[in-house]
Amino acid sequence: MIAELLLRIAIGDLERAHALIGDLEEDAYETSGRTPSGTWLVLKASPIAARFLLDRALRPITERPRTSRALPADERRISMIAMLWQEMGNALRLPMRAPAFVAAAAATIALGVGANTAIFSIVNTVLLEPLPYEEASRLVRVWPGETMTKGWIMTFEEAVSFEALAGYGGASATLTGVGRPLELDGGDVTREYFGVMRAAPLHGRTFADSDHAHGADPVVVLSHSLWVRAFDADAGIVGQLVSLADDDFAERRVIGVMPASHQPLDSAWDFWVPVRLNPKYDYPGSQMSCSCWNLIARLDSGVGLEAASAETRVIGEQIHTDAPDRLAEAALLRASAVPFLDDMVGDQQLPLLLLLGAVSLVLLIACTNVANLLLARGEHRRRELAIRAALGASQRRLAIQLLAESITLGLAGGALGLLLAQASIGYFRAALAAVVPRTTALQLDQRTLLFALVASLTASVLFGVVPALRVLDRGSARREGGRHGATRGQQRANRILVAVEVASAVVLLVGASLMLRSLQELTSVDPGFEPGNLVAVRVNAVGDRYSDPAALQAFYEELQAKSDALPGVTAVASIQDLPFGDGHWGWNYTIDSEPLPAGASMPGAGFRVVSSSYFPTLGVPILAGRNLRESDIHGAEEVAVVNDAFARRHFDTIEQIVGHTVTLNTGASFRVVGVVQGVRHTGFRSDPVPEMYRPLSQFPTRSRFLIARAEVNAASVGDDLQALVWDMDPDVPVRDPQTMTSVMRGSVAESRLFTELLGSFAALGAILAGIGVYGVVAYTVSRRQRAIAIRMALGAPAANVLRHTLREALSPVAIGAILGTLGAIGASQLLSSLLFGVSPRDPLTLVVVPVFLLVVATLAAALPATRAARVDPVSTLRQE
Amino acid sequence: MGSKSLGEFEQIVLLAVLRRGDNAYGASVRKELRARTDRTIARGALYVTLERLERKGLLTSKMGAATPERGGKAKRYYGLSAEGLTLLRQSGRDLMSLWQGYESVLDEA
């Protein structure tokens, strides 16, 4: 695309440019047998385009020794491009004439363009680049308002809007026999899955209908990455049994391996297993399975999103009629079919576009700085331009000369910026990979290059146009009589530019400060436990050995005893899902104090299973009743502890709930023996929800998190715990130890990253604006020395001069600060959904930021202003 | 019309177009030149020269039909105009007359 654009501009004929690209593609195909990449085409097309431009520029000299006036309009246009080309050639000598100016201007533009290019490359990779599947634009997430049962997936399979539709859910399994046991995530998918994705296996096959049948042999398809990692890319693995153990099977037969080019729908997936269908329970419309599947579909050709969404709603209503408690009417309101990419990166859209907005403000500030530099130079240039004009150069020719200089400067800065962006891309890839989907593939592609080109050219026009107009305004020059002094028009231009950059900096800083305060608020929320020096490892007692509950219990009891005895450990506890982690269980229940009215749906609450040492270890206070005890074992009375939110839902005072019986919708019931303070298990943002805690000794789970509080070094205790488990049983998978503080940091990683980026851009903008204000004041003072000297010679005191200079310098800053504050009030509304505990119109921020910038500007202006006040009138006037 | 003599490069480009007959387009002319002259021709130089020769009225060109190869892009076919052929013939004759009696020099190369 860029290659064609280049050639088209250079040749001025689309057809010829097209044919030329064809020739290039033919050459490439004949030498390498492949269609060339866009980058290759650009590399080959650029010198050809340059040759054409050069030829064109020289043509007036080599072929047509006539004046441009005699040329028809069309030819005159060409000769204007030729002029621009020539002037750009001249502009290349600029660095020799004014090296400091060129270095400062190019570096400023490089910062602006570099930041923009880097952020655009992220936007491009995450939001714009299509998903790596065939005709990916037709892939949609079908969302009836809730996740679906197997039977409802079958109902949806009959929908007419979709060429194919599949259900998918998460699966986890442990792979043993390949060194250390590997805990893996995978996809549990229905029969059309690979058809929807249009993905073919590298070896073997994908699932057939028979693989989904009840009682079929357990099979698995491996991801390319797992195949390489665990099986050394051995094609012979197809057909073999592997020890991939999950809750249902200890072994599975590998039937296929996907190619490296197939990206799993969830980047964490390492395998796929077939959803199994029991004809007794699983038939179209059946609600007799867990509703834990999402739907992905490929739109039938010619079917639009609207139609697909409408059909999704219709089927959703059917399901709602059959099972109102599993698909509520309120959920149905959200029923729709959305492009899969939007669904995947929808959350990232706002932060990324805001960052793009922020960097474009940085570029605007950079442009105003360069414009100020150019304005200052313009004073020196007048004489040169006057000479050229006297020698016969038309006004238009001079305008082209200035435009050419701006473009050359912009492109040079842009090229440097591109290098900056390229250098920073590795950092961004590392920082974003865990937080923002799709960023592992971050790179500067053709579209990003085009963006950088457009950004550089736009910047050239932005910073070039005001100075060019000023320089060409001959009238004012004549009025000033060619004296060295800033003209009134120029002063006005300077002041406008200063106001613009201060306003932009205020908007940036307000946004960044709000995010920073929000992050502080977020992380200073009390999580409900003491996170210091806590470390957790996930232990998963898989395998036949632990099928017997007594053996499982014995294993974990021994582990608890041995980890209690570890040096440096003060307490150890277990829980099935870590606070601030990903897993959350919940059940619907009834309580004996409140019989459920007929037709009402049961309330739900979080469900956690813990060891009796959990609350003391984490420092969670018991508010009423008693803690769970080691004597609460299987066979003894079934008990639970609830949190205060749960107790308050049913009673005025929390003590009242102790002694009441709770019954889950599964039929299991237990007595409440105590109330604990709420823990924010799901993260800083949400208040503790009603939760119940059952003892692991009565509700044993195979996989648990072991949490230890260390005396000093949590990290080394984590390693000890891992070693301890493997010492007891080397086949039990243990996930890498994590300190609780790092888990909590991870839960706000996205906010933190966004805040850091926005903060750096705001800081960059503020620094550039500070430099800009300093530059303008310093320049104005130096130009106005004579006026100041006259004034002082006439008796003006130094303090007056200082005040006058400062007032003049700071009035555009004040105007900019006010405009910026107004702009920030508008712009911060965009942030409101990302803020926590801070209003987008936070008065403190809206006052402090502009005042801070005023202080910075005053400091920036003070130095040159003091110099102005120290002017020695006699020597200055003598110089004139 | 423009100049009445041909530059050396212009001359060999015209000859290559002539040799390619009905199938003379950018890529094929470049291939012909590479095969016959044993030197690699910069694409830019070739295309600019083709355009210049056409502007001088020595070459004519027309777009061909789109082809499935080359990314579906059509070829631009070149052919010698009457004037081009006359000029080429003239410079060929000049060359040959100059060579006359000195063919042995060629053989020694």
Side-chain angles (χ1 to χ4, degrees):
Chain A
M1 189 177 66
I2 301 184
E4 204 171 297
L5 192 72
L6 276 175
L7 288 174
R8 197 193 156 170
I9 292 170
I11 304 175
D13 180 338
L14 179 62
E15 259 186 6
R16 282 171 199 268
H18 218 67
L20 217 162
I21 296 277
D23 283 356
L24 286 175
E25 288 190 12
E26 184 179 323
D27 281 356
Y29 195 80
E30 274 173 18
T31 44
S32 68
R34 271 183 316 187
T35 318
S37 69
T39 318
W40 185 88
L41 282 176
V42 173
L43 281 177
K44 295 296 168 189
S46 306
I48 302 178
R51 204 92 181 215
F52 267 100
L53 285 172
L54 189 69
D55 181 62
R56 210 180 250 193
L58 297 176
R59 208 179 295 159
I61 306 161
T62 54
E63 291 178 26
R64 290 178 206 271
R66 283 178 284 181
T67 62
S68 69
R69 257 169 231 293
L71 294 176
D74 184 46
E75 298 280 301
R76 215 166 358 190
R77 190 166 52 88
I78 292 172
S79 82
M80 182 166 143
I81 293 177
M83 273 200 278
L84 189 61
W85 187 244
Q86 271 181 335
E87 292 296 351
M88 284 175 74
N90 288 340
L92 287 177
R93 292 196 292 269
L94 209 56
M96 286 175 274
R97 277 188 284 160
F101 162 75
V102 169
T108 310
I109 293 302
L111 282 175
V113 172
N116 273 274
T117 307
I119 296 299
F120 179 81
S121 74
I122 301 172
V123 169
N124 180 36
T125 310
V126 177
L127 301 181
L128 303 181
E129 197 60 32
L131 287 168
Y133 307 113
E134 206 182 304
E135 289 186 58
S137 60
R138 281 166 60 193
L139 286 179
V140 290
R141 166 110 191 256
V142 178
W143 181 243
E146 261 308 332
T147 43
M148 294 281 99
T149 67
K150 294 178 198 172
W152 290 335
I153 299 173
M154 292 169 143
T155 310
F156 267 102
E157 278 173 345
E158 285 155 21
V160 296
S161 303
F162 311 114
E163 181 187 289
L165 176 140
Y168 67 95
S172 58
T174 307
L175 182 67
T176 49
V178 288
R180 283 289 181 209
L182 288 175
E183 283 225 75
L184 302 172
D185 291 317
D188 192 10
V189 301
T190 62
R191 60 198 174 93
E192 299 256 38
Y193 178 80
F194 288 104
V196 171
M197 307 305 283
R198 293 224 179 127
L202 177 68
H203 297 295
R205 61 178 179 91
T206 53
F207 304 128
D209 280 359
S210 56
D211 295 318
H212 295 276
H214 186 59
D217 271 345
V219 293
V220 62
V221 171
L222 305 179
S223 77
H224 192 271
S225 139
L226 180 64
W227 179 57
V228 172
R229 229 173 342 137
F231 303 105
D232 298 328
D234 172 16
I237 195 70
V238 175
Q240 303 291 314
L241 280 174
V242 293
S243 311
L244 187 72
D246 54 23
D247 293 344
D248 301 321
F249 302 101
E251 290 183 319
R252 282 178 184 270
R253 193 174 298 282
V254 177
I255 57 163
V257 176
M258 296 308 287
S261 59
H262 178 68
Q263 188 178 305
L265 197 54
D266 182 323
S267 55
W269 287 0
D270 270 321
F271 64 88
W272 293 265
V273 292
V275 164
R276 298 168 79 84
L277 302 169
N278 186 336
K280 244 202 248 114
Y281 310 115
D282 304 318
Y283 46 84
S286 161
Q287 45 169 310
M288 286 163 67
S289 73
C290 118
S291 50
C292 37
W293 279 275
N294 283 297
L295 302 178
I296 183 171
R298 184 173 284 276
L299 287 178
D300 213 347
S301 58
V303 175
L305 276 176
E306 287 289 319
S309 287
E311 192 173 15
T312 303
R313 260 191 301 277
V314 169
I315 300 176
E317 273 158 24
Q318 244 173 26
I319 294 173
H320 165 71
T321 318
D322 292 348
D325 59 324
R326 294 184 71 176
L327 181 56
E329 195 148 15
L332 259 184
L333 292 176
R334 296 190 298 271
S336 61
V338 287
F340 203 83
L341 180 60
D342 290 5
D343 183 69
M344 191 175 192
V345 297
D347 291 347
Q348 314 300 332
Q349 204 165 341
L350 179 66
L352 283 179
L353 293 182
L354 284 174
L355 282 179
L356 198 59
V359 283
S360 56
L361 282 181
V362 172
L363 183 58
L364 182 65
I365 296 175
C367 286
T368 52
N369 270 4
V370 175
N372 275 327
L373 284 174
L374 279 173
L375 272 177
R377 262 183 64 75
E379 289 304 306
H380 300 285
R381 300 289 306 276
R382 269 187 199 205
R383 188 175 300 216
E384 174 203 330
L385 293 175
I387 293 172
R388 274 194 87 167
L391 290 174
S394 65
Q395 192 84 342
R396 200 171 66 124
R397 179 85 199 198
L398 295 183
I400 287 176
Q401 180 192 348
L402 293 172
L403 181 65
E405 284 178 11
S406 296
I407 290 178
T408 311
L409 203 53
L411 289 180
L416 277 178
L418 212 51
L419 291 179
L420 276 182
Q422 179 62 47
S424 65
I425 215 82
Y427 157 78
F428 280 114
R429 205 183 293 131
L432 292 166
V435 186
V436 181
R438 311 183 75 202
T439 42
T440 42
L442 199 60
Q443 55 159 342
L444 299 185
D445 66 353
Q446 244 197 98
R447 201 183 291 151
T448 314
L449 293 182
L450 183 65
F451 174 87
L453 182 67
V454 171
S456 310
L457 290 176
T458 313
S460 309
V461 173
L462 274 179
F463 68 68
V465 69
V466 174
L469 289 177
R470 290 299 317 145
V471 169
L472 294 176
D473 184 3
R474 280 183 184 167
S476 71
R478 213 173 296 130
R479 273 198 304 280
E480 294 290 324
R483 212 183 329 110
H484 290 276
T487 67
R488 195 165 297 159
Q490 156 139 19
Q491 274 181 35
R492 200 175 58 222
N494 272 141
R495 292 158 71 92
I496 291 174
L497 290 175
V498 165
V500 165
E501 63 184 340
V502 170
S504 309
V506 168
V507 172
L508 280 174
L509 280 177
V510 166
S513 313
L514 286 174
M515 283 311 297
L516 196 64
R517 288 203 50 203
S518 159
L519 188 65
Q520 273 171 351
E521 290 285 330
L522 197 57
T523 48
S524 61
V525 165
D526 175 16
F529 62 93
E530 296 285 330
N533 282 351
L534 282 182
V535 63
V537 294
R538 180 165 176 248
V539 184
N540 192 3
V542 286
D544 291 342
R545 200 186 310 182
Y546 305 105
S547 310
D548 173 27
L552 185 67
Q553 185 74 6
F555 171 76
Y556 276 116
E557 270 172 18
E558 187 188 343
L559 183 57
Q560 169 87 36
K562 283 191 170 165
S563 31
D564 269 333
L566 277 178
V569 171
T570 56
V572 180
S574 303
I575 185 169
Q576 106 281 15
D577 276 323
L578 209 57
F580 287 81
D582 299 326
H584 306 288
W585 291 1
W587 293 103
N588 292 337
Y589 67 92
T590 53
I591 183 163
D592 60 359
S593 60
E594 286 175 36
L596 198 66
S601 55
M602 290 188 194
F607 187 85
R608 300 211 172 240
V609 197
V610 298
S611 66
S612 57
S613 54
Y614 182 73
F615 301 114
T617 304
L618 268 78
V620 180
I622 311 280
L623 303 176
R626 67 166 174 90
N627 185 10
L628 299 169
R629 290 186 193 131
E630 283 183 39
S631 57
D632 295 326
I633 52 168
H634 208 62
E637 187 191 23
E638 300 282 320
V639 296
V641 161
V642 297
N643 69 357
D644 48 351
F646 189 104
R648 272 198 205 96
R649 182 187 266 179
H650 301 286
F651 297 97
D652 295 334
T653 55
I654 55 173
E655 291 81 6
Q656 287 172 282
I657 198 169
V658 177
H660 282 281
T661 301
V662 169
T663 307
L664 301 183
N665 58 351
T666 57
S669 64
F670 41 79
R671 199 166 62 86
V672 176
V673 294
V675 181
V676 291
Q677 188 176 295
V679 170
R680 285 173 206 264
H681 276 120
T682 54
F684 286 117
R685 276 177 196 266
S686 44
D687 286 333
V689 293
E691 279 187 317
M692 30 198 173
Y693 296 89
R694 292 269 286 131
L696 278 163
S697 45
Q698 291 184 335
F699 194 102
T701 59
R702 283 187 172 219
S703 125
R704 300 172 189 189
F705 284 91
L706 205 62
I707 307 179
R709 190 178 296 278
E711 260 165 9
V712 194
N713 188 347
S716 75
V717 166
D719 294 338
D720 294 346
L721 284 177
Q722 195 171 29
L724 185 63
V725 176
W726 279 335
D727 197 35
M728 286 169 61
D729 184 343
D731 277 345
V732 165
V734 185
R735 280 219 176 153
D736 295 337
Q738 305 167 277
T739 62
M740 210 51 227
T741 37
S742 73
V743 172
M744 290 163 71
R745 244 201 326 270
S747 78
V748 292
E750 209 177 312
S751 282
R752 189 180 298 275
L753 186 66
F754 175 66
T755 307
E756 278 170 5
L757 286 177
L758 193 60
S760 348
F761 295 140
L764 184 60
I767 291 171
L768 286 177
I771 293 174
V773 171
Y774 171 81
V776 168
V777 179
Y779 175 73
T780 315
V781 167
S782 74
R783 294 278 95 189
R784 298 194 42 188
Q785 269 188 359
R786 188 162 178 269
I788 294 171
I790 291 175
R791 212 181 283 188
M792 290 179 76
L794 292 173
N800 272 6
V801 171
L802 181 65
R803 199 165 50 235
H804 183 78
T805 317
L806 272 181
R807 192 169 57 221
E808 218 159 78
L810 293 180
S811 64
V813 174
I815 292 171
I818 292 169
L819 291 177
T821 309
L822 292 176
I825 290 174
S828 59
Q829 288 302 321
L830 299 171
L831 283 176
S832 57
S833 67
L834 304 174
L835 294 176
F836 176 89
V838 182
S839 152
R841 292 184 180 171
D842 179 51
L844 187 65
T845 310
L846 287 173
V847 169
V848 168
V849 167
V851 168
F852 168 75
L853 262 182
L854 273 174
V855 171
V856 170
T858 312
L859 291 177
L863 204 67
T866 328
R867 203 163 53 219
R870 272 201 233 111
V871 160
D872 172 18
V874 179
S875 64
T876 308
L877 291 174
R878 202 168 282 155
Q879 273 171 16
E880 281 284 315
Chain B
M1 246 326 125
S3 63
K4 292 282 178 250
S5 63
L6 285 172
E8 190 240 2
F9 190 60
E10 289 178 332
Q11 198 171 329
I12 66 171
V13 169
L14 284 178
L15 278 167
V17 171
L18 187 68
R19 297 186 73 95
R20 275 282 158 170
D22 287 346
N23 194 29
Y25 59 98
S28 75
V29 170
R30 184 155 170 268
K31 245 173 280 171
E32 182 76 31
L33 287 174
R34 196 165 35 195
R36 296 270 161 198
T37 67
D38 209 26
R39 61 178 174 180
T40 310
I41 309 294
R43 289 190 184 84
L46 172 64
Y47 287 102
V48 166
T49 306
L50 283 171
E51 202 212 3
R52 185 162 57 235
L53 290 171
E54 195 181 347
R55 216 169 40 242
K56 286 182 177 176
L58 306 183
L59 282 178
T60 59
S61 79
K62 61 174 193 300
M63 291 301 291
T67 46
E69 307 91 44
R70 325 163 23 106
K73 287 163 188 87
K75 296 168 181 170
R76 186 163 201 99
Y77 289 104
Y78 291 89
L80 264 65
S81 67
E83 192 184 352
L85 202 58
T86 314
L87 213 55
L88 190 61
R89 203 176 280 138
Q90 185 58 50
S91 51
R93 276 202 206 106
D94 292 352
L95 269 182
M96 273 185 259
S97 84
L98 281 167
W99 275 109
Q100 219 153 36
Y102 287 84
E103 288 85 355
S104 55
V105 179
L106 269 179
D107 298 334
E108 281 166 21

